């Protein structure tokens, strides 16, 4: 009896693992294409529709869709955040390998009226290919020079990017800086 239960639990875990991998690969595809994940109704969202389409080839995926536990907003948002952190860690690793970099900063208001500071890094790899990567969108209370300088220093410190390798800077709203 215990052996049968253990086997059933192992099969269930394997099935959940396989279905979660299908969901993650679908989510990754949508994110790479820059497509919306959700629609006005959950069943109209791109993630749900893509999984529904894939269920034609993977029969047990429709059971996963009907269950819906791993399609909640919280789970999907957490998966997106994990993927974003992985991408950011990879980009930061490459920036750290570059000898020099430049900072690009711009502040703007989002739709809710909150002031945001976009921080980008421009860098060159060993093959002399130029990259410009957004590494942070940081909400700020004020847009004065002291606040923005503190935000830049804090972001570079947290991302372990040495400020002494910075060889250029560009800011929109340069009068503040």
């Amino acid at each position: 009896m215990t052996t049968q239960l253990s086997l059933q639990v192992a099969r269930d875990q394997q099935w959940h693992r396989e279905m979660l991998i299908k969901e993650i690969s679908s989510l990754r595809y949508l994110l790479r294409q820059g497509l919306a994940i959700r629609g006005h109704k959950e069943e109209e969202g791109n993630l749900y529709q893509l999984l529904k389409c894939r269920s034609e080839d993977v029969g047990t995926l429709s059971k996963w869709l009907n269950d819906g536990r791993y399609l909640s907003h919280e789970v999907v948002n957490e998966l997106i955040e994990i993927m974003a952190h992985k991408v950011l860690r990879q980009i930061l690793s490459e920036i750290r390998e570059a000898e020099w970099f430049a900072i690009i900063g711009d502040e703007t208001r989002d739709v809710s009226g909150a002031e945001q500071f976009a921080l980008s890094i421009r860098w060159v790899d060993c093959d002399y290919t130029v990259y410009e990567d957004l590494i942070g969108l940081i909400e700020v209370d004020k847009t004065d020079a002291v606040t923005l300088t503190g935000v830049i220093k804090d972001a570079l410190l947290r991302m372990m990017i040495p400020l002494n390798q910075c060889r250029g800077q560009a800011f929109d709203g340069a009068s503040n800086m």
Side-chain angles (χ1 to χ4, degrees):
M1 181 71 166
T2 306
T3 306
Q4 287 177 334
L5 285 173
S6 295
L7 287 173
Q8 184 60 40
V9 166
R11 280 193 297 266
D12 287 349
Q13 286 177 342
Q14 180 62 30
W15 178 76
H16 280 91
R17 188 176 299 116
E18 289 171 9
M19 295 304 105
L20 185 60
I21 288 170
K22 300 285 186 214
E23 181 178 340
I24 290 170
S25 67
S26 298
L27 187 58
R28 192 175 97 202
Y29 171 78
L30 293 171
L31 293 170
R32 286 188 63 115
Q33 297 302 316
L35 298 172
I37 304 301
R38 299 180 186 94
H40 292 292
K41 296 179 182 172
E42 195 62 42
E43 298 80 32
E44 294 175 0
N46 288 332
L47 179 59
Y48 186 88
Q49 290 297 319
L50 181 56
L51 289 170
K52 188 176 174 183
C53 180
R54 291 183 75 185
S55 70
E56 294 173 8
D57 299 327
V58 182
T60 57
L61 197 53
S62 54
K63 181 182 172 191
W64 178 265
L65 281 172
N66 292 335
D67 183 26
R69 285 188 299 177
Y70 297 96
L71 293 171
S72 71
H73 294 279
E74 293 82 16
V75 171
V76 171
N77 287 347
E78 187 174 345
L79 290 172
I80 291 170
E81 190 174 335
I82 290 168
M83 289 179 201
H85 285 160
K86 182 177 181 184
V87 169
L88 183 59
R89 279 192 301 273
Q90 179 62 40
I91 290 170
L92 292 173
S93 171
E94 292 172 4
I95 290 172
R96 284 185 212 108
E97 290 176 13
E99 192 170 350
W100 316 112
F101 66 91
I103 298 170
I104 303 169
D106 188 13
E107 64 273 349
T108 186
R109 290 193 185 277
D110 64 11
V111 288
S112 71
E115 193 71 35
Q116 304 238 338
F117 184 69
L119 182 61
S120 298
I121 302 278
R122 187 175 174 102
W123 57 283
V124 180
D125 69 7
C126 59
D127 296 324
Y128 302 108
T129 305
V130 178
Y131 296 91
E132 191 172 301
D133 296 305
L134 176 70
I135 61 165
L137 194 58
I138 305 140
E139 189 171 334
V140 292
D141 297 327
K142 299 184 286 187
T143 58
D144 62 337
V146 173
T147 303
L148 296 180
T149 301
V151 165
I152 292 168
K153 285 181 173 181
D154 180 60
L156 294 177
L157 181 66
R158 281 185 292 111
M159 295 176 191
M160 295 182 290
I161 298 175
L163 184 58
N164 62 355
Q165 290 179 343
C166 179
R167 292 299 183 261
Q169 50 187 326
F171 302 100
D172 188 14
S175 60
N176 290 350
M177 297 304 285

